[in-house]
């Protein structure tokens, strides 16, 4: 792979990560009135990872990709929560009052919300790739 190709790839994924992190922090500020820099980092990583589902899952079936994205996001939220909330004690979020929570870091209600957010992330990632990076036009089935 040439240096210019590597730079273009790095620029694309940097932009996608920035976009995903920025959108999530904006949603979170509207949802709960605040956010934390760790949420930007986590969302940036998740946006890229969830967006890559179309690169490996070539059927363009949105619902299974959204469920897979939700599983990825929930697992990442658990790991991140254990680090930033339990180990470091930063108290970025606490789901202890939610039914079915695990260590106060994840709960079924927000895992379901991740399905919708993952579907949105998949579509936004694909539209950005199509419009700005001249990749394949999205064509989903459920």
């Amino acid at each position: 792979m040439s240096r210019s190709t590597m730079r273009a790839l790095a620029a694309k994924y940097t932009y996608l990560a920035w976009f995903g992190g920025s959108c999530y922090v904006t949603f979170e500020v509207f949802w709960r009135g605040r956010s934390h820099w760790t949420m930007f980092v986590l969302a940036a990583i998740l946006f890229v990872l969830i967006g890559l589902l179309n690169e490996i899952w070539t059927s363009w079936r949105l619902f299974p990709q959204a469920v897979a994205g939700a599983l990825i996001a929930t697992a990442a939220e658990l790991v991140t929560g254990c680090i930033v909330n339990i180990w470091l004690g930063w108290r970025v979020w606490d789901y202890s009052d939610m039914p079915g929570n695990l260590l106060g870091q994840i709960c079924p209600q927000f895992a379901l919300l991740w399905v919708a957010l993952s579907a949105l992330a998949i579509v936004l990632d694909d539209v950005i790739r199509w419009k700005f990076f001249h990749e394949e036009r999205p064509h989903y089935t459920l």
Side-chain angles (χ1 to χ4, degrees), residues 9 12-13 16-17 27 47 56 60 72 74 76 83 93 113 141:
L9 202 57
K12 174 171 63 174
Y13 285 106
L16 290 168
F27 288 145
F47 190 79
I56 58 171
W60 290 90
I72 292 166
T74 302
I83 294 168
W93 72 87
L113 181 61
T141 59

Side-chain angles (χ1 to χ4, degrees), residues 59-115:
S59 71
W60 290 90
R61 295 197 53 191
L62 186 58
F63 185 71
Q65 288 181 44
V67 170
L71 292 172
I72 292 166
T74 302
E77 187 176 36
L78 177 62
V79 170
T80 302
C82 286
I83 294 168
V84 302
N85 295 325
I86 296 173
W87 184 45
L88 296 174
W90 290 352
R91 299 175 191 248
V92 178
W93 72 87
D94 183 1
Y95 298 148
S96 295
D97 60 340
M98 302 294 286
N101 79 81
L102 179 60
L103 302 172
Q105 304 311 303
I106 59 172
C107 64
Q109 300 85 343
F110 282 94
L112 283 175
L113 181 61
W114 275 115
V115 175

